[in-house]
Amino acid sequence: MNIVKLSAAALVASVAFAGAAAARDQVQIAGSSTVLPYAKIVAETFSETFPDFKAPVVESGGTGGGLKSFCSGVGEGTIDIANASRAIKADELAACKAAGVADVQEVKIGYDGIVFATDASNGDMKIEPKDLYTALAAEVVVDGKLVANPYKNWSEINPTLPNGPIAAYIPGSKHGTREVFEEKIMAEGCKEAGAPEVIKAAITDAKQAAAKCVAVRKDGAAVDIDGDYTETLARIAANKTGLGVFGLAFYENNKDKLKVATVSEVVPTTETIANGEYPVSRPLFFYVKKAHLGVIPGLKEYVEFFLSDDMVGPDSPLAEYGLVAAPEDQREAARAAFEAGTTM
């Protein structure tokens, strides 16, 4: 009985919305701050490529906030697409359906993944999240107490690391890959080092404690890079013992200048990132409200444009910015699923 009611609600909302189509003539998107810069690049390029459509409006709000707005209902007052740095949860999808958003299309755009590399003249480098956290955290645990990071050389962290000053060139706060660096390296390394227990003993607020785990030192050992990867490459060329953070595509185009490090003994490749074996990565998505397709001008065209290899392929502007392109078969499957109208 509930299924019938939900389907009827969705149908009524869709019909009512179709009748008011002229009220809104541009695509509206919100959600993940990680996906935000990628979506903005696509929206800007889409506007230039398809001048007959108004430029899509892309806003942030976080994955959870974007999905909450997306699932609030069907109609001109609701967004068309929710960007997400994780898959939609079962309870979120249930909330969508309860509000009449019966048909949701999931689109995987690629992967958020970063690699760590040094100058090509160096030997092999094997790192663990714990090593990088200990080297780069603003504060670390020493003798059971949280203190300002005292470490100066990589070899102090782990004798297998280079015997040289700690210097790391990491994604700046404005960069699309900063979040995955914090989540997969700093937060994970914090756990491996046993720091959360000490931090929680000193800081009761959960958000403040989590922020302490991912805070990086400001004494020059960790340098934020807000520009593109060519800036990081130049820093590495000038400092042979420095460690740089790069997108996979950039590294693969500069293998003659860089030596990539393994993370948790896994070599970063498109395959190890796509299958989840490489730990510093995660899939990225957006969700499309199927009831809005054919009603909001440019929505279908925007999704198709986003999924094109011109946008998400290995030589695309999104890959240049930091997106790890999905393998060709996955990109083709994503396009086929959208065209077929596959819903969750």
Side-chain angles (χ1 to χ4, degrees), residues 49 78 103 108 141-142 165 182 193 199 205-206 208 229 233 237 261 269 325 339:
T49 308
T78 66
D103 295 316
K108 184 190 293 183
V141 177
V142 177
E182 291 182 345
I199 293 172
D205 184 86
Q208 290 181 14
Y229 293 125
L233 183 63
T269 64
E339 290 302 323

Side-chain angles (χ1 to χ4, degrees), residues 4 59 292:
V4 173
E59 298 177 334
H292 288 200

Side-chain angles (χ1 to χ4, degrees), residues 39-61:
K40 281 193 169 182
I41 291 170
V42 175
E44 289 169 5
T45 311
F46 175 82
S47 182
E48 294 168 0
T49 308
F50 297 93
D52 289 343
F53 295 118
K54 284 191 175 181
V57 176
V58 185
E59 298 177 334
S60 188

Side-chain angles (χ1 to χ4, degrees), residues 9-328:
L11 179 60
V12 170
S14 297
V15 171
F17 180 41
R24 178 154 65 82
D25 58 358
Q26 62 188 147
V27 177
Q28 292 186 350
I29 305 161
S32 166
S33 59
T34 300
V35 179
L36 178 68
Y38 300 126
K40 281 193 169 182
I41 291 170
V42 175
E44 289 169 5
T45 311
F46 175 82
S47 182
E48 294 168 0
T49 308
F50 297 93
D52 289 343
F53 295 118
K54 284 191 175 181
V57 176
V58 185
E59 298 177 334
S60 188
T63 296
L67 285 169
K68 183 177 181 180
S69 177
F70 178 84
C71 290
S72 66
V74 174
E76 63 177 293
T78 66
I79 62 173
D80 311 303
I81 291 175
N83 293 328
S85 57
R86 58 165 172 78
I88 190 171
K89 298 176 182 177
D91 60 338
E92 291 169 329
L93 187 59
C96 260
K97 294 183 182 298
V101 188
D103 295 316
V104 176
Q105 292 189 259
E106 180 180 77
V107 179
K108 184 190 293 183
I109 65 169
Y111 297 85
D112 192 16
I114 51 177
V115 305
F116 300 85
T118 60
D119 186 79
S121 63
N122 291 313
D124 292 339
M125 192 172 185
K126 299 179 179 180
I127 56 179
E128 300 288 337
K130 179 182 176 181
D131 295 335
L132 289 177
Y133 166 78
T134 306
L136 304 179
E139 295 179 288
V140 294
V141 177
V142 177
D143 297 328
K145 296 181 180 179
L146 199 63
V147 300
N149 197 322
Y151 301 112
K152 303 298 181 185
N153 292 322
W154 288 112
S155 56
E156 291 180 75
I157 308 298
N158 186 326
T160 66
L161 297 178
N163 184 23
I166 295 172
Y169 306 102
I170 63 176
S173 58
K174 297 178 182 178
H175 203 282
T177 55
R178 177 61 176 248
E179 190 175 326
V180 74
F181 171 79
E182 291 182 345
E183 177 186 329
K184 301 291 187 177
I185 290 295
M186 297 301 291
E188 189 61 33
C190 185
K191 292 177 187 176
E192 292 177 5
E197 290 75 14
V198 178
I199 293 172
K200 287 175 183 177
I203 302 173
T204 56
D205 184 86
K207 287 187 177 180
Q208 290 181 14
K212 182 72 73 173
C213 248
V214 301
V216 297
R217 58 200 299 181
K218 301 296 183 183
D219 58 359
V223 179
D224 281 8
I225 303 295
D226 286 319
D228 60 24
Y229 293 125
T230 57
E231 182 180 348
T232 307
L233 183 63
R235 299 287 190 118
I236 294 297
N239 183 355
K240 303 299 183 184
T241 61
L243 180 70
V245 175
F246 300 93
L248 180 67
F250 186 91
Y251 157 69
E252 290 183 334
N253 289 328
N254 290 276
K255 283 185 176 180
D256 57 326
K257 304 178 186 73
L258 295 168
K259 175 154 289 188
V260 75
T262 61
V263 178
S264 300
E265 301 186 349
V266 180
V267 178
T269 64
T270 298
E271 289 71 28
T272 59
I273 286 176
N275 66 22
E277 185 181 357
Y278 181 68
V280 200
S281 63
R282 60 184 174 177
L284 299 177
F285 306 87
F286 63 78
Y287 292 88
V288 182
K289 196 170 291 180
K290 190 174 181 180
H292 288 200
L293 292 169
V295 178
I296 297 297
L299 177 57
K300 180 175 185 292
E301 291 80 2
Y302 169 83
V303 176
E304 291 173 341
F305 185 67
F306 203 131
L307 288 175
S308 70
D309 277 357
D310 286 342
M311 288 293 103
V312 296
D315 299 316
S316 67
L318 269 59
E320 184 178 337
Y321 187 81
L323 183 76
V324 177
E328 185 177 1

